[in-house]
Each structure stands twice: as structure tokens, then as C-alpha cells.
Amino acid sequence: MGGLSLQHPWAFAFGLLGNVISFMTYLAPLPTFYRIYRSKSTQGFQSVPYVVALFSAMLWIYYALLKSDELLLITINSAGCVIEAIYIVMYLAYAPKQAKMFTAKILLLLNVGVFGLILLLTLLLAGGEKRVVMLGWVCVGFSVSVFVAPLSVIRLVVRTRSVEFMPFSLSLSLTASAVVWFLYGLLIKDKYVALPNILGFAFGVIQMGLYALYCNATTRQAPKEVDGPLPEHVINVAKLGPMATIELNMPAAVQPPTKENIVACASGESKEISVEKVDMATNVEHV
């Protein structure tokens, strides 16, 4: 086994470190689900990031099984499948009916339909090493498409000169995870593991550079599409195992004016209508 052989001690070390970093990142949404459990409500959070993370883990497990020498990829993604499945079950337990239906649809579409199609095509159209190559490029393509997600957050940071939406710890985690998994893929000569993490490293460095540039900068007024009508979601990219996954946090809804506010305004009194502050944190994963 390439990742565990004594002839590759450094590969084993980086793979083990990658498992630790990725496992801790899988646990990052725990505070979110604790809030959901306490409030018995999903509070506007979307299920998409957890479904995507589950799909990612399933895809990399299939790749590792085909290659037969990637035990360290199997361990972290097996843990990821279990953790993400728990998140999804908790989400379904407390989500409103419409969100439950949506979650069920994307589960069937992505984790059953798309994964089943990939499984079928790779089994029917290729065999042996060609099958591994085909699936490897599928994994790379999915990783690259997911890595595009931070662009919206980076753009928002530049436009507002505020790092409120891009915590440094998450950017550092992204960079560290990308470096570790890149070195692991490089040492075991697996380009499908190594290549996507070059992009992950690049995004991580950009985010940390922007943090250093704007951490003490005077913030600008958010653009109209941000401080006017609130965006539908904020994209958080989390380093989860060997694949980047997206966490989409729905902003808290603006509280409508109450009858008391309307009466107060009519009588000339001045009252503030409180608006819950949107928590837009950058959270994503990858080998």
C-alpha cells in the first residue's frame, strides 16, 4: 500500500496529519448543530453543504477502493460519511417540511443519481487502470468546481475592506490541509490527489493575504446587493477530507415591523426596528 508502506514513511506521516486536520474540520459544524438542537429549528441553515460533503466522501472512497492502495483516504472519508450522515439526519429532524423535501430531492439527485451514474459509467466504459484514471479525473473536476466557491467571499472582502466574513483560522486551515494533502499525493505519485490541492493552496494564500491587508483597514459601506436585499446565501468553503465542500449559511431574516412599531411611528415616537445581524463566516475541504 503506497500510503502505508515503510518505504514511504513521509507519505504516511502527511496522510496521517491530513486525516487529523480533515477530521477536525468535519467537526467544525458541531456548534451549528448544537444551536439547531437547542432551538429545535434549522434557523435558516441549508442542507446543501452536508449533502455535498457526503457525496465528496463517497466519491473518494470509491476512488480509493479502485486504486486499492489508499487506506488513508478510506479512513478519513469513511469518518466523513458517518459524520455528514449524522448532520443530515439531525437537519431532517428539525427542518420545516419544505426544507425536508428539498433535502430529500438533492440527496436522491446527487448521492443516488449522480453517484450511481458515475459508478455505472466507470464500470461499463472502462476497466483496470483506465477505470481509475476516469474516476480520478472526475474527482479532480469536482474538486476544482467546488474550489470556485470562495471567490464570492474574496470578492466581498475586497469590496467592503472587511474580513468579518473570512475568519483567519479557517483560511489557515484551508491552506494547511491543501499543503498536507498535496504532499501526500506527491509522495505516493497520485496526481489526482495532488493537483486539486494546488488550487486549494492558492485560495488559502490569497485569503490569508487579504486578511493581512484588510484586518485593520477602514471598512467601506457594503454594496447594495449586500446591504440592500440580503443575499440568498453565503458560501463557506471548508476543508473536509480529500475534497472541498461548501457550507451555505442562510442569513437570518430581517424582522418585519410589528404593530407596536407602526403605532409608535404614527404617534411621532422614534423606535428602532432591530435587525438580526447576519453571521457570514467562511468555512471548506479538500484533500
Side-chain angles (χ1 to χ4, degrees):
M1 292 186 178
L4 293 178
S5 173
L6 294 178
Q7 297 178 356
H8 302 81
W10 282 107
F12 174 75
F14 284 117
L16 190 61
L17 182 59
N19 270 248
V20 172
I21 295 174
S22 298
F23 182 76
M24 295 304 295
T25 311
Y26 272 123
L27 298 180
L30 279 178
T32 295
F33 281 90
Y34 181 70
R35 286 169 54 193
I36 289 174
Y37 171 75
R38 288 290 301 272
S39 64
K40 309 300 181 186
S41 168
T42 54
Q43 303 178 17
F45 286 99
Q46 286 193 8
S47 59
V48 174
Y50 314 108
V51 175
V52 171
L54 180 60
F55 174 76
S56 167
M58 292 167 58
L59 197 61
W60 280 101
I61 287 175
Y62 179 37
Y63 170 79
L65 289 173
L66 281 184
K67 195 169 181 186
S68 74
D69 61 351
E70 297 284 4
L71 184 59
L72 290 173
L73 291 184
I74 294 175
T75 55
I76 184 56
N77 285 288
S78 296
C81 280
V82 173
I83 294 171
E84 297 301 333
I86 292 173
Y87 290 157
I88 292 171
V89 169
M90 285 190 64
Y91 184 90
L92 290 172
Y94 297 113
K97 183 177 179 180
Q98 186 175 1
K100 288 180 181 179
M101 294 297 295
F102 176 74
T103 302
K105 288 178 182 178
I106 60 174
L107 270 171
L108 288 174
L109 176 63
L110 188 62
N111 298 75
V112 177
V114 175
F115 183 78
L117 182 62
I118 292 173
L119 186 67
L120 185 64
L121 291 177
T122 52
L123 291 176
L124 293 179
L125 300 181
E129 186 62 28
K130 289 184 179 180
R131 184 178 299 161
V132 175
V133 171
M134 178 184 294
L135 184 59
W137 283 115
V138 170
C139 292
V140 170
F142 182 75
S143 300
V144 170
S145 65
V146 169
F147 268 128
V148 174
L151 290 177
S152 62
V153 177
I154 291 174
R155 179 171 174 265
L156 184 60
V157 170
V158 172
R159 296 183 70 180
T160 62
R161 298 174 62 87
S162 171
V163 294
E164 178 184 0
F165 314 130
M166 192 178 67
F168 180 80
S169 59
L170 293 173
S171 300
L172 181 61
S173 174
L174 168 67
T175 308
S177 181
V179 170
V180 169
W181 284 112
F182 169 76
L183 291 173
Y184 173 78
L186 188 66
L187 290 170
I188 65 172
K189 297 180 174 59
D190 190 332
K191 61 185 177 183
Y192 308 113
V193 174
L195 283 176
N197 286 289
I198 297 175
L199 188 59
F201 173 75
F203 275 118
V205 170
I206 291 172
Q207 290 183 28
M208 289 193 297
L210 288 175
Y211 188 93
L213 183 62
Y214 294 123
C215 63
N216 295 317
T218 302
T219 59
R220 296 172 180 166
Q221 184 178 5
K224 290 183 179 180
E225 61 265 31
V226 174
D227 65 0
L230 290 174
E232 292 185 359
H233 62 264
V234 178
I235 297 178
N236 294 340
V237 177
K239 300 291 297 179
L240 302 180
M243 178 68 70
T245 60
I246 308 173
E247 180 173 348
L248 308 178
N249 291 346
M250 293 290 293
V254 176
Q255 301 296 324
T258 63
K259 183 177 180 180
E260 180 184 356
N261 293 99
I262 296 174
V263 172
C265 291
S267 62
E269 296 180 17
S270 174
K271 278 203 171 188
E272 285 189 353
I273 300 173
S274 64
V275 180
E276 185 177 352
K277 183 178 180 182
V278 179
D279 179 15
M280 305 171 70
T282 305
N283 181 346
V284 191
E285 174 139 10
H286 189 296
V287 173

